[in-house]
Every structure is written in structure tokens, then in C-alpha cells.
Amino acid sequence: MAHLLITGGAGFIGSHCCVALLEAGHGLVVLDNFDNSSPEALRRVAELGGLQGEARGPWRDGHGAVRLQLVEGDVRCADDLDAAFTTSPEGIGAVVHCAGLKAVGESVAEPLRYWDTNLGGSLRLLEAMRRHGCRTIVFSSSATLYGYPDTVPIPETAPIQPINPYGHSKAAVEQVLADVAASEAGWRIARLRYFNPVGSHPSGRIGEDPEGIPNNLFPYLSQVAVGRRQALHIFGSDWPTPDGTGVRDYIHVMDLADGHRAALDTLLREEPQLLTVNLGSGQGHSVLDVVHAFEAACGHRLPYELVDRRPGDAATTVADPGLASARLDWRTRRSLADICRDGWAWQSANPRGYGP
Ligand code: NAD
Ligand code: UFG
């Protein structure tokens, strides 16, 4: 058991990681400014972990031990980081760094905001780690680094060639982490390159709750299924793929969360190192595959229209998951049908997300 700091722990991926890491027995401190999330997500994480507490914590287990704490603050702020590192008497043994901004289109319109939060926030966090003697970090990186991939399935050795400011900011943080690892002995760093995380915890209590019109396929389709949107627009039906629609490697968010647990276990068990691994299933599914799987889960037809390609999209991105299997002893266990069943459990029980 370790005491962990989860930045962005109230977000989509962070909240699911919290559930998996609580289950693994860790004590958690979450630092989040709720820029793109709700405190209600953490309250439900506590509930799923069988913990008791006030609306904003701290949350205790049946023996009275504090297992989950919230520090409401900004990862770019040294004082907020110091509060997060000192709130637990045991200190912080490792960090899972999920806080960040992630909308590709928004990053094109507001590059400075993206660089400030994604790179600036990571720099401030690494400085705080040095101040507090913590040298272990798992970083939320992204398959977006590979841009238009030259080879599919994509190995970790593929060229880093991001095509938008969001991707550039992730590539920059990866470089900073490599430089930090090379500068001083003792760092244990995992750079986890997520493919397409979707779905929700099987309870349907926590899930993805995007603000405004969703940019991504799965939340958009979920909102069509629940009647919040009329029809899915499928971006391109003339891609060089089996059915002409784009192919992606969709990974159940609880498999992704297990990947974080596995990465932490590996880092804490082995010698200090810099680990870089894809988190994906190795299987590609087209947009139409996802539509049909979701129809099976929700029990009704989902209207869609075939429209033009979206600028910036690649035809196919699928992970080579071999290294994650070899180094982390981790692979995905949940299918596309599981993803849609659990995604529907969340969306149907929470048609307006965490909102009123
Ligand atoms: P999310 O927006 O749901 O979660 C991010 C969390 O970080 C939110 O709770 C937000 O409030 C918080 N946050 C943002 N700025 C902050 C700041 N300055 N200080 C403190 N907290 C802040 O996004 P997510 O989907 O959970 O993504 C988590 C991480 O994974 C991000 O770094 C993202 O870039 C990366 N990632 C996501 C995907 C994906 O498809 N969801 C894919 C690849 C990588
Ligand atoms: N798509 C549609 N209609 C929509 C939304 C998406 O047809 O309304 C299609 C896209 O064209 C693509 C597929 O569905 O073929 C998946 O698109 P998403 O937007 O869901 O996901 P992307 O693969 O484009 O990108 C996402 C994140 C990136 C991240 C990448 C890999 O947005 O930031 O996954 O993790 F880098």
C-alpha cells in the first residue's frame, strides 16, 4: 500500500483510476480544480469504495482510516501542490498525473491555455515532487503523439509526430520526463500512451460527463442513445478501412485504470526506470461497429448520417499492446460489448451526467 496523489482525480479517467487504486488498497489524495469535472464524481468514488465522509471528504473506511482526501486546487499553483503533498501525515509515495486539458479543437483555438496547463502544470508538479522527495510518477500521455501513424498496430518506437497543440504539449511533457529521469538517479516514471478510453464503471455510478457538445464518438453516441442528440454524424465513409468508417482501438476505462495500477506496481517493485507503454487492446473497431454494439446494449436503433471526413483524423489507429503485456503483465480484459453495456449503464442512469 502507498499514499498516492492523483491529479485530475475527479475527471473521467482519474475517477476510474481512483476506484481501481482504492480497491488495490492505496490511500489517495486528489488534487483537482474542477475545471472539467464535478465534486460529485469523487463523492461517488468514495461510495463505490465503501467509504464514509462529508460531501467533500475526507472519506474513511470502516476502521476510521482516511483513505481518500480532496485538495481543491490547481496543479499550476505551488501552494496548492504543497497542500496536496502535506495533507496526509504519511506523505506522498507516488503521483498519478491525470490533470490536463484534452480537447484537440480547443487546443488549436487556445494553444497558450493548453501549454500553460499541460506543460506548465507538469513542470510545477515535478518541482513540487522534488521539494517533497517524491520520485515516482505515472503520466497520462496519449496515442495522439503518433499523429498519422506510419505503421499499424503502432509500437512505442513509432515516430512522435503530433499534429495539433494538444499533441505537442503531451510530447513536450514526455520529453521533460525523459530529461528529468536522465538528470538524477532514483526517478521511477511511467509514460502511459492511452488509445481511446471509453465506457464507464459497471455500476453506472461514475462515467464520462463532457461539457457542451461532445467531440468524441462514444459520448456523442451515448447522448444520441439517451435522446439528448438527434443523430450521430459519422465523419467519413470512404476511409481505406473494411467498412469505410474510421477505425480506433477502444479501451474500457476500467481496463485503463487497471493499467495504472499495474504500472505503479511495476515502478514500485523494480529498479528506478523510465517506462513508456501503449495502453490499448490491439483490436480495431470501426465507427459502424461501435454504433451496432451500442444498439445491442441499449436495445434500440441509433440514427446516424454519413458526412464528410473531419480534418485531422487518421483512418486507423490501433495499439501494439505487446510491451504493456511484457513489462506490466497487463492486457485488456473487457470487450466492445462490455464497453457499450457499461457506458449505457452510466448514460441511462445519468442522462445529464453529474449535473442537476
Ligand atoms: P477530464 O477532463 O475528464 O479530466 C481531467 C481532470 O483534470 C478534470 O477533473 C479537471 O477538472 C482537472 N484539471 C484540469 N486542469 C487542471 C488544473 N490546472 N489543476 C487541477 N486539475 C485540473 O479528462 P480525462 O479524459 O479524464 O483525461 C485525463 C488525462 O488523460 C488528461 O491528461 C488527458 O490529456 C489524458 N488523455 C485522455 C484521453 C481521453 O480520450 N479521455 C486520451 C488520451 C490521454
Ligand atoms: N467520429 C465520428 N463522429 C463523431 C465523433 C467521432 O464519426 O461525432 C469518428 C472519428 O472520425 C474517428 C472515431 O469516430 O474515426 C473516433 O473519434 P474520437 O473523436 O472519439 O477519437 P479520436 O481517435 O479522434 O481521438 C481521441 C482523443 C484524442 C486522443 C485519441 C487517442 O480525442 O485526444 O483519442 O487517445 F489522442
Side-chain angles (χ1 to χ4, degrees), residues 129-271:
M129 289 178 70
R130 297 195 77 239
R131 277 200 300 286
H132 294 277
C134 178
R135 295 283 186 277
T136 305
I137 180 168
V138 174
F139 171 60
S140 296
S141 189
S142 171
T144 198
L145 292 179
Y146 299 122
Y148 303 114
D150 304 331
T151 1
V152 179
I154 309 171
E156 288 81 354
T157 49
I160 301 302
Q161 43 196 16
I163 53 170
N164 51 60
Y166 168 65
H168 284 293
S169 72
K170 288 285 173 189
V173 177
E174 282 214 358
Q175 185 61 53
V176 168
L177 289 168
D179 293 347
V180 164
S183 71
E184 182 187 25
W187 283 88
R188 298 164 192 269
I189 298 176
R191 306 185 296 188
L192 303 183
R193 296 179 180 162
Y194 310 160
F195 277 66
N196 288 58
V198 286
S200 84
H201 189 269
S203 65
R205 294 294 289 153
I206 57 172
E208 189 169 11
D209 182 18
E211 236 179 65
I213 302 172
N215 297 307
N216 300 115
L217 173 64
F218 200 85
Y220 198 104
L221 190 59
S222 308
Q223 293 191 6
V224 172
V226 84
R228 271 177 77 178
R229 317 241 162 239
Q230 280 198 325
L232 174 72
H233 295 130
I234 297 185
F235 299 141
S237 49
D238 57 352
W239 293 101
T241 60
D243 65 19
T245 65
V247 168
R248 294 291 181 273
D249 186 334
Y250 296 97
I251 166 173
H252 194 297
V253 64
M254 287 311 297
D255 277 335
L256 189 83
D258 286 343
H260 290 69
R261 184 196 40 71
L264 266 172
D265 287 352
T266 303
L267 286 181
L268 295 171
R269 186 179 60 238
E270 296 184 356
E271 290 300 305

Side-chain angles (χ1 to χ4, degrees), residues 15 33 59 72 86 94 100 119 130 138 167 180-181 188-189 301 343:
S15 58
N33 66 356
W59 292 277
E72 187 170 347
T86 54
L119 178 60
R130 297 195 77 239
V138 174
V180 164
R188 298 164 192 269
I189 298 176
R301 296 297 298 274

Side-chain angles (χ1 to χ4, degrees), residues 8-14 31-37 73-76 97-102 117 140-143 166 170 194-197 208:
F12 170 46
I13 291 166
L31 175 68
D32 204 302
N33 66 356
F34 302 116
D35 180 82
N36 192 38
S37 56
D74 197 305
V75 76
R76 294 165 297 179
H97 180 31
C98 296
L101 305 178
K102 62 167 182 177
T117 296
S140 296
S141 189
S142 171
Y166 168 65
K170 288 285 173 189
Y194 310 160
F195 277 66
N196 288 58
E208 189 169 11

Side-chain angles (χ1 to χ4, degrees), residues 266-288:
T266 303
L267 286 181
L268 295 171
R269 186 179 60 238
E270 296 184 356
E271 290 300 305
Q273 62 184 305
L274 174 67
L275 255 174
T276 307
V277 289
N278 288 336
L279 293 186
S281 69
Q283 298 215 322
H285 293 288
S286 73
V287 177
L288 283 171

Side-chain angles (χ1 to χ4, degrees), residues 14-31:
S15 58
H16 290 81
C17 285
C18 285
V19 171
L21 294 167
L22 281 173
E23 244 171 57
H26 299 297
L28 310 182
V29 174
V30 166
L31 175 68

